[in-house]
Amino acid sequence: MTIWYERAGEGEPVVLLPSSAADAGMWDGQWDALAARFQVIRVDYRGFGHTPYQADRPYSDAGDVAEVLAELGVERAALVASSYGCRVALQLAGLATRLVLMNPGSGLPETEDVVAFGEEEDRLLEAGDVEGAAELNARTWLGPEADEATRRRVVEMQRHAFAGQLAADPEPSQFSPEYDLDAIKVPALIVTGPYDLPYFRAGARHLAGRLADAELVELEWAGHLPALERPEEVTRLLLDYL
């Protein structure tokens, strides 16, 4: 199965990889501007947005994205990723011309803040409170610059994902490919912000120190999902860097 994707524009390929707290719709604020300059591609992972949560064999999100790029004849692309999407981007770094990693986790041991979030999300879902779990995600991942419409949009995206994933029977088997940070030589822009959880702020600094050609940018207003919080400012950042 090829996951859902959308493509627009011409020129250098740019692939947008969403957070697992959202879906491809999180890039709506950047889509038109990027499509005016680049061949831009965005995807929904299995169980998110337009892609059903199913598989007849073990799969990886990185493998699914690589399949889309092969189908489109794209051999190399700039990879722009948010949160969980940063892991996917690092797994696909051999295809990358450059990387933009917004609030990456980076594989460091989980800290108390992210453990507490995961435990509360699990508690709500086990109690059948999908709405409460979706609201928890919006409260946790959006910084103070996000308006109410954006918060409702994140709740909607997350609610939709939870509903599809909880209904899956059987649940697909997923694996996560390994990656070697020392082997990644392409330029990378690492983005963080003071309103994100400490785990992700530490992850951004860790990656900036480990990758061979990395630049760290702190957006003084940003939470975990800056592309949703100040879409126009993130659009300018991406256009300047790409």
Side-chain angles (χ1 to χ4, degrees):
M1 181 187 74
T2 299
I3 57 174
W4 178 90
Y5 64 87
E6 183 177 14
R7 176 172 62 165
E10 298 178 354
E12 178 189 351
V14 175
V15 180
L16 306 177
L17 301 170
S19 165
S20 60
D23 56 42
M26 71 167 288
W27 302 111
D28 285 351
Q30 291 75 45
W31 184 252
D32 289 343
L34 289 176
R37 294 273 299 276
F38 305 100
Q39 177 191 178
V40 61
I41 301 157
R42 58 178 169 178
V43 301
D44 276 332
Y45 313 126
R46 300 189 199 213
F48 292 87
H50 300 82
T51 304
Y53 194 43
Q54 60 189 41
D56 57 4
R57 62 181 63 86
Y59 77 96
S60 72
D61 290 321
D64 283 344
V65 175
E67 181 181 337
V68 167
L69 297 182
E71 181 175 302
L72 295 174
V74 174
E75 297 181 356
R76 302 287 303 281
L79 304 181
V80 176
S82 174
S83 186
Y84 169 73
C86 298
R87 182 189 305 173
V88 178
L90 292 169
Q91 291 164 351
L92 293 170
L95 305 177
T97 56
R98 63 182 58 218
L99 299 166
V100 179
L101 306 175
M102 298 185 181
N103 298 303
S106 79
L108 292 174
E110 291 187 339
T111 50
E112 290 184 6
D113 53 298
V114 78
V115 170
F117 164 79
E119 290 176 347
E120 178 62 6
E121 183 184 64
D122 288 345
R123 184 190 70 79
L124 290 166
L125 291 174
E126 288 169 5
D129 188 0
V130 171
E131 185 71 18
E135 294 275 3
L136 171 68
N137 275 267
R139 288 197 307 272
T140 302
W141 303 127
L142 288 171
E145 293 296 307
D147 60 22
E148 184 57 27
T150 300
R151 294 180 186 279
R152 296 314 308 168
R153 179 71 178 111
V154 170
V155 169
E156 176 186 322
M157 288 190 281
Q158 194 69 88
R159 185 198 305 117
H160 175 78
F162 283 145
Q165 293 164 15
L166 292 171
D169 186 19
E171 182 175 338
S173 176
Q174 183 178 3
F175 65 94
S176 184
E178 297 294 324
Y179 55 86
D180 180 5
L181 293 178
D182 294 328
I184 299 173
K185 306 300 184 183
V186 297
L189 180 69
I190 315 294
V191 179
T192 187
Y195 296 102
D196 199 1
L197 296 185
Y199 173 76
F200 292 97
R201 299 203 302 271
R205 293 191 296 271
H206 172 70
L207 279 183
R210 283 291 307 278
L211 294 177
D213 187 8
E215 174 187 355
L216 180 66
V217 171
E218 179 160 349
L219 304 176
E220 62 182 16
W221 48 266
H224 190 64
L225 299 172
L228 285 162
E229 295 161 20
R230 283 195 187 179
E232 292 182 358
E233 189 162 331
V234 168
T235 298
R236 288 194 296 271
L237 176 73
L238 293 178
L239 289 173
D240 287 346
Y241 185 71
L242 296 174

